[in-house]
Amino acid sequence: HIFQAAVLLAIAYFLGSNLYVNWQELISYDWDPDVCLLLLSLFLTVGGGLLVALGWSYILRVMGQRVPHPRILRIYYLTELAKYLPLKIWTAVGRVIMLQKEGVPIVVTAASVLAMLIILAVSGVLVVLLTLPAWPTLAAARHPRMLYLFLLLPLGLLVLHPRIFEPVLSWLLKKIDHVSLKVRLRYSHILLLVLYWCGLWLLKGVATYFLLRAVYHDALPPFSWLILTGIMVISWIVGAITPFAPAGLGITELFMVLLFGSLLSIDAGIATAFAIFNRVWSILAELICVGVTFRLK
């Protein structure tokens, strides 16, 4: 715990020092936000968030559980807020408890949460690979070995084949709940979900691009929206797999700042300010999603 706290404090110091050292640049920069782009970004972020919850609902239906979509949306976003608590188990625990009241077995809920995380991660890796040709450093290098990275595309799809995916998922469930469950998922369902989440990653990238362009008016590299999609995926996945960072707080922002500088040539101070702004924007979108779900019947 001391090491984890030290890492988070070091990240906070790094981000804070970026703001302090570049404070004059930040206050003198002509932010002049474009309200239309801000609203468009918010609309896409909220819409993408609701589509993520519906993707989870589809996974549950594939597993034989037909809970009404409005209830799934409400459960998803009420429990999603728990990701800001210490440890990363409370979101899954909340979903297990709330879906149990809907008659969904604990082990099935756990399977759906694990399946979504695996599909989300694999689709994220695939999207990052698709964005690599747009990265300025890689595009300039044009190293033949870069092509080997694209072998991960068929490898990722192979890993998701039911003969591999189902035993791995069943093994993880047994480790978590000590219950054996034979998960039956068609490969067509899995591929459809991967394609669906690839689209959601791209939507998240476009929404973040509009948010950036709403406040940052300097020139950006060609295909910057595609580069930004890769940055968001990498930052989110690293934050999600870091066990001691609730909701990836600090870790996600750190990687955004580092990648903004190397791939988009954005100064550290502005990149840090935007990374923090993006976090606030995401929380705002999540709260709106919670409000929307309570309006549904």
Side-chain angles (χ1 to χ4, degrees), residues 93-119:
V93 169
R95 287 172 187 169
V96 165
I97 294 172
M98 295 186 75
L99 276 181
Q100 197 175 12
K101 296 178 181 179
E102 301 289 337
V104 180
I106 293 175
V107 70
V108 175
T109 302
S112 70
V113 171
L114 281 172
M116 184 178 74
L117 290 174
I118 294 171
I119 290 169

Side-chain angles (χ1 to χ4, degrees), residues 18-33:
N18 277 347
L19 295 178
Y20 178 77
V21 171
N22 298 282
W23 185 249
Q24 289 301 319
E25 178 189 2
L26 290 172
I27 61 176
S28 62
Y29 186 79
D30 182 20
W31 296 99
D32 190 22

Side-chain angles (χ1 to χ4, degrees), residues 4 16 47 76 78-79 92 100 124 140 157 167 179 184 191 214 288:
Q4 296 169 0
Y76 181 89
L78 281 176
T79 56
Q100 197 175 12
L157 297 178
V179 176
R184 294 291 183 185
L191 292 179
I288 292 174

Side-chain angles (χ1 to χ4, degrees), residues 180-195:
S180 296
L181 174 69
K182 192 65 175 178
V183 181
R184 294 291 183 185
L185 293 173
R186 292 183 181 178
Y187 197 33
S188 58
H189 290 153
I190 296 173
L191 292 179
L192 181 62
L193 284 165
V194 169
L195 183 63

Side-chain angles (χ1 to χ4, degrees), residues 222-253:
F223 302 105
S224 52
W225 71 271
L226 195 57
I227 299 170
L228 189 53
T229 299
I231 291 173
M232 294 307 299
V233 175
I234 293 172
S235 302
W236 188 93
I237 290 178
V238 174
I241 65 176
T242 303
F244 55 85
L249 281 171
I251 302 294
T252 299
E253 286 71 27

Side-chain angles (χ1 to χ4, degrees), residues 123-135:
S123 62
V125 172
L126 296 180
V127 168
V128 170
L129 290 174
L130 292 175
T131 68
L132 290 182
W135 290 21

Side-chain angles (χ1 to χ4, degrees), residues 159-174:
V159 168
L160 289 174
H161 192 278
R163 293 199 175 187
I164 299 175
F165 184 72
E166 290 177 4
V168 170
L169 191 58
S170 298
W171 178 79
L172 288 171
L173 288 170
K174 194 171 182 179

